[in-house]
Amino acid sequence: MTWDALDAHLDGVPGTVSAYVGRVGATPTWTRHADATHYAASTMKAAVLVALHRAAEAGTLDLDAPVPVRNEFDSALPGAPRFSCARHYDNDQAVWERVGGDAPLRWLAHRMIVRSSNLATNVVIGHVGLPAVARVWDLAGARHSVTGRGIEDFAAREAGVTNLVTAADLAALLAAVAAGADRPGPLASPAGCAAMLDVLFAQEHREDLAAGLPEGTRIAHKNGWVRGVRHGAGVVFPDDAPPYAVVVCTTTDLADGGASGEEDDACRLIARVSAAAWDARHDL
């Protein structure tokens, strides 16, 4: 399928579909509404991961030191009461089993990515702070993405404080992590970027981008979903071509909001774009 044909297909999808495909460190081969903003869902957790590793490299946090796991967090809205996460809305019961006890930040960050734990995310944000996450977006060269609040901070949400991403910004962030593993970059040391890639490689939700790739293909990625939104953002590492970024953000009624993606047409759409990028990997 040519990029023009893919564009024509996506023109028929209800809502907004944004995409970015291109080799790491190069001008993108194909984009579609790449600067359109979407509600971030859990893709913002990739920026939180980078903020945590930057704090560890600065010596302000120890990734292996246990921290309290408490389900109570400060709202991003000044003066609002503290808020909590709902257990039934989370994707990782392992973190909830630690409530009232302790867990290392490294373990919490891993669960935040590979199982997309909301509770782990808010605990990590409580230690790194939202300004540190904003700094990550700036350093990556993101132009429109914002992480304004934690997960399930409804008081802040009702006041208009939100989390936004674009396909271009997510590609810039993940490509910077991938490139930074080979040479010093703006986000973290090569060792720090390599450690972050290892976490992103371990992603267990593989219903969208990964579903469009041959079995066993390495992809460092983070996805996100709520009803009406499904995103996939990653860097693919083929054995026979240079690594490339592929991001698809969808705000559409096709997204059912389920974690499994089994009945989610938006997942299948993202997998289709991922498959097209794979087929074109030698020509990106």
Side-chain angles (χ1 to χ4, degrees):
M1 177 180 289
T2 66
W3 299 119
D4 286 345
L6 185 56
D7 254 325
H9 171 74
L10 296 177
D11 283 342
V13 175
T16 301
V17 179
S18 301
Y20 179 109
V21 175
R23 285 184 178 167
V24 171
T27 301
T29 299
W30 175 68
T31 63
R32 174 188 172 86
H33 307 316
D35 290 323
T37 55
H38 298 256
Y39 177 64
S42 290
T43 58
M44 49 79 79
K45 296 170 183 176
V48 176
L49 176 70
V50 179
L52 177 64
H53 278 264
R54 284 176 53 79
E57 291 196 347
T60 57
L61 289 175
D62 181 350
L63 293 181
D64 296 310
V67 299
V69 180
R70 305 287 185 267
N71 185 23
E72 190 177 39
F73 310 100
D74 291 330
S75 173
L77 181 65
R82 304 192 86 197
F83 70 97
S84 300
C85 291
R87 184 167 186 164
H88 73 274
Y89 189 60
D90 210 329
N91 302 295
D92 187 10
Q93 295 306 308
V95 179
W96 286 87
E97 292 169 2
R98 300 286 189 102
V99 172
D102 297 325
L105 283 168
R106 189 188 305 276
W107 182 83
L108 289 165
H110 184 84
R111 306 305 296 187
M112 171 180 73
I113 298 298
V114 306
R115 293 301 306 164
S116 207
S117 169
N118 294 336
L119 179 58
T121 302
N122 285 344
V123 174
V124 173
I125 288 175
H127 286 273
V128 302
L130 289 169
V133 183
R135 179 62 175 155
V136 167
W137 288 118
D138 288 342
L139 289 170
R143 297 190 296 163
H144 305 290
S145 295
V146 175
T147 303
R149 59 174 173 82
I151 309 293
E152 298 177 69
D153 184 354
F154 297 127
R157 184 187 69 180
E158 293 303 314
V161 181
T162 191
N163 300 324
L164 300 173
V165 292
T166 72
D169 289 348
L170 284 167
L173 176 66
L174 294 180
V177 173
D182 293 326
R183 58 185 182 275
L187 297 183
S189 70
C193 287
M196 288 187 276
L197 280 182
D198 285 343
V199 177
L200 293 162
F201 280 132
Q203 173 63 250
E204 296 178 12
H205 290 282
R206 303 181 63 83
E207 307 85 5
D208 37 63
L209 289 178
L213 300 172
E215 187 70 26
T217 302
R218 291 198 308 154
I219 176 171
H221 64 126
K222 182 70 192 83
N223 34 30
W225 58 88
V226 295
R227 183 167 295 277
V229 166
R230 185 86 194 198
H231 308 323
V235 176
V236 179
F237 292 78
D239 290 336
D240 59 352
Y244 63 89
V246 54
V247 180
V248 187
C249 296
T250 73
T251 299
T252 174
D253 291 341
L254 298 181
D256 69 6
S260 72
E262 291 179 357
E263 303 299 326
D264 194 327
D265 287 334
C267 273
R268 286 186 274 275
L269 181 153
I270 294 170
R272 183 171 185 171
V273 176
S274 181
W278 173 264
D279 289 344
R281 67 190 181 281
H282 297 296
D283 302 315
L284 297 178

